[in-house]
Amino acid sequence: TFYPYAVERKIEPFYKGGKAQLDQTGQHLFCICGTRVNILEVASGVVLRSLEQEDQENITAFDLSPDDEVLVTASRALLLAQWAWREGSVTRLWKAIHTAPVATMAFDPTSTLLATGGCDGAVRVWDIVRHYGTHHFRGSPGVVHLVAFHPDPTRLLLFSSAADAAIRVWSLQDRSCLAVLTAHYSAVTSLAFSADGHTMLSSGRDKICVIWDLQSCQATKTVPVFESVEAAVLLPEEPVSQLGVKSSGLYFLTAGDQGTLRVWEAASGQCVYTQARPPGPGRELTHCTLARTAGLLLSATADHNLLLYEARSLRLQKQFAGYSEEVLDVRFLGPEDSHVIVASNSPCLKVFELQTSACQILHGHTDIVLALDVFRKGWLFASCAKDQSVRIWRMNKAGQVICVAQGSGHTHSVGTVCCSRLKESFLVTGSQDCTVKLWPLPKALLSKNTAADNGPLLLQAQTTQRCHDKDINSVAIAPNDKLLATGSQDRTAKLWALPQCQLLGVFSGHRRGLWCVQFSPMDQVLATASADGTIKLWALQDFSCLKVSGDPAAVQVSGLGGSDGLVKLWTIKNNECVRTLDAHEDKVWGLHCSRLDDRALTGASDSRVILWKDVTEVEQAEEQARQEEQVVRQQELDNLLHEKRYLRALGLAISLDRPHTVLTVIQAIRRDPEACEKLEATMLRLRRDQKEALLRFCVTWNTNSRHCHEAQAVLGVLLRREAPEELLAYEGVRAALEALLPYTERHFQRLSRTLQAAAFLDFLWHNMKLPVLAATPTPWETHKEALP
């Protein structure tokens, strides 16, 4: 029996930090991921294109032109590539001439000039239309990490900032530095210009923003913002009451290490709006950009999440999880398994809708989430984390998830959680503090009238039991909710009666710590997976070991996935591995099967989440259709041979790509009284690709002395009737000749020996002195006459 699973979908990293940019329409999002620039469709969250330079080096900088037509990327190999990004093709590739990688780049407002700032302290300007370098500005100390053109193209001004925290103003007309603006004491992180081009805003990691008058090149206002700012954006000069913008003066928005977007009035230096900050680390904002035409604001967080806001109200519109690092657990969510929850090396949980790729990032835990489990109906699920707490979340019918309950009480990391199976009545957690806790669900949580506005309810542990002497790695609740199994680093599993947690027995036998325990849904059997590389099945009645299976090299992480990135499917009956699913490149930490067992979900340290689909029925249907087609074709072939329509028969046999069937046709042709003429006439009418296939089949036939005559007959026709230059143009002809020569040489030697033996026999016959016999010919004479 086959158990075929095929990859249906992958959730992979697409953004690993650095610049992210929207096009003017807000329909496409561009971001860096290692050696690629990925282009996402904002509406669906799907990666439309992944652009990688020929040198396959990491991308260090990129920029999209203001007219959305040209994308330029720079790699560590000091090459610049100009892309027709909609087609995914490079239109031009040239050397950056910088002596160190390009750290930043920016287009001018006309989309014809490109400025690049290098780690070598140089600033270069390129004409993208005429394809040549126009300017080379020296004088910046250290890495030039910021370049920007003045918004008025007639001014021909370029601004840059390097390691000395000064802003240099370069004149393209005079090819010189017009001014050096000094007000910052730390790296300048962004430059923004007012609509009239008279004012510039600069932000820095020195926790200040500076307003500059570009006509006098003087700082007119310094605004202390009390956080290291990564980006500042000037807002459109119009009142927006939601953001505290009451007049049409100058207002700007900052994004920095506090993790919140804040709006400031430039004239007074006052903060007029502060966004609510979600809990937990990794919320620092590393990038922020405004797409004015689309009215969208894009920000990036330190844990590689991209957040898209409506610019006027800062209402969150879309969330994208760019990079999950190590995926620690995965679960299907929803009554129809419509969503997927992912716990990665982060305090945030990510919920993906499978149909639309929409992502929701859940905040609540303050340290890495270690495990997940879903209640029977699919709306409620639980998570536990290193912050020593457990949380319960609910998804509504619109797919929105909120935290509805939380509990704390463990004195160490909570590494495993399991929800009750029969009813949504309780959950059990296991911790590094060697205890398990049973948490009943509050009745208010289960009533439909519970409002979410009151905040999460408080969970109270009903039972606490010290179960093992070392970390508890796994807990499992039996299908009847009456038994609990625990697996520990102390190499044992234990069985407990619920709800009081009375010990019923111990499963001993593994040589290393246990990673996973699971009850059988059908039988009174417990499965345990250990770091000793084995999976053991135990009888619940007498605690005896029933079976041992597993591959010591593969089952290092859990009974579900392997440390080698493989997922294996075992039959319990004969301990046989019937399927190996290979799509991950690192340890598989999480696996979950859908309600109908037709799909599976795996998550691994390679930061990939893979959705597998059971394609048994599809493959069986394909196999049946293939067999039926072969029967029909075989019948057609027999009919053609019977009617001596050799050309059609040979063409059909070649199309089946079955050397033995083609051999049968050649043998049928050679049995014909006019074999040579028929074979030659038939072969000459074949197409070239069919002759190439025949030559390939000849290599197979020629290895066998019984079929070598057919191979030699076909070769004879090809060598006699095809021109040498045509033969040499055949695909794979050299490899075919190399394979044909040694066997042909062997057949020739065998026939030569047979011919010699026949000649010697003839010689013996002529020299034998026989007594005179009767005139009637003997059988020997009759045979002699028949000899050649």
Side-chain angles (χ1 to χ4, degrees), residues 124-171:
R124 292 181 178 272
V125 182
W126 310 86
D127 189 318
I128 292 298
V129 179
R130 296 191 181 91
H131 301 168
Y132 71 97
T134 61
H135 297 76
H136 179 198
F137 296 122
R138 299 180 188 86
S140 302
V143 175
V144 178
H145 57 261
L146 187 61
V147 289
F149 280 96
H150 191 278
D152 183 356
T154 59
R155 300 278 297 272
L156 291 173
L157 293 179
L158 175 67
F159 298 79
S160 72
S161 184
D164 61 350
I167 301 165
R168 285 174 172 76
V169 186
W170 308 92
S171 167

Side-chain angles (χ1 to χ4, degrees), residues 217-264:
C217 289
Q218 295 296 316
T220 59
K221 182 81 177 174
T222 299
V223 180
V225 292
F226 312 109
E227 69 168 331
S228 178
V229 180
E230 290 300 321
V233 174
L234 278 170
L235 296 174
E237 295 186 28
E238 55 186 51
V240 183
S241 57
Q242 298 104 306
L243 303 182
V245 179
K246 296 185 174 65
S247 64
S248 58
L250 208 62
Y251 288 81
F252 62 91
L253 179 142
T254 58
D257 62 4
Q258 285 188 13
T260 60
L261 298 172
R262 295 191 291 169
V263 178
W264 302 79

Side-chain angles (χ1 to χ4, degrees), residues 51 190 415 441 672 683 732 749 761:
L51 309 179
S190 72
L441 265 58
D672 194 280
M683 281 184 58
Q749 289 172 358
L761 189 63

Side-chain angles (χ1 to χ4, degrees), residues 90 316 394 665 668 707:
V90 175
L316 186 62
R394 176 186 280 136
V665 177
H707 306 145

Side-chain angles (χ1 to χ4, degrees), residues 752-767 788:
S752 297
R753 287 195 300 272
T754 307
L755 196 64
Q756 284 175 358
F760 183 64
L761 189 63
D762 200 40
F763 172 76
L764 276 178
W765 167 247
H766 283 296
N767 287 282

